[in-house]
């Protein structure tokens, strides 16, 4: 699994809603048009393919930024934001 920040700028409201809904199935919203996703190579490829079918490549922009584990530890959050990461395990008390 690799950590990805996915951001988008979609010109059309209907396409924007569809892209947002799709991304909700792959990660968590960090900001209005930014998602944090932990994706395997297969899931990343699948997401790219599905996005290509939804967007208009002449008007819309979707970006995938990889974040490695070392950089993930260096993320600085200011304000109420939280870094959303899937955990391979949870501690229950």
């Amino acid at each position: 699994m690799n950590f990805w920040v996915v951001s988008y700028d979609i010109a059309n409201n209907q396409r924007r809603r569809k892209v947002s809904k799709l991304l909700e199935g792959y990660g968590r919203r960090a900001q209005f048009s930014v998602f944090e996703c932990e994706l395997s190579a297969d899931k990343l490829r699948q997401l790219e393919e599905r996005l290509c079918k939804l967007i208009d490549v002449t008007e819309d922009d979707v970006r995938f930024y990889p974040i490695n584990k070392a950089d993930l530890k260096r993320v600085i959050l200011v304000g109420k934001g939280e870094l959303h990461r899937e955990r391979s395990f949870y501690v229950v008390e």
Side-chain angles (χ1 to χ4, degrees), residues 54-72:
L54 291 180
I55 70 169
D56 179 337
V57 296
T58 65
E59 294 183 350
D60 303 332
D61 179 28
V62 179
R63 297 172 185 224
F64 291 79
Y65 296 98
I67 306 289
N68 65 39
K69 288 182 182 183
D71 288 335
L72 196 55

Side-chain angles (χ1 to χ4, degrees), residues 11-25:
N12 174 278
N13 288 337
Q14 184 177 6
R15 285 196 312 270
R16 188 180 316 110
R17 280 190 296 276
K18 288 179 181 180
V19 166
S20 176
K21 197 69 162 166
L22 175 64
L23 286 167
E24 285 174 356

Side-chain angles (χ1 to χ4, degrees), residues 28-42:
R28 296 184 65 179
R29 186 184 299 274
Q31 294 181 351
F32 185 74
S33 61
V34 178
F35 281 77
E36 297 170 344
C37 307
E38 284 193 73
L39 303 168
S40 66
D42 288 340

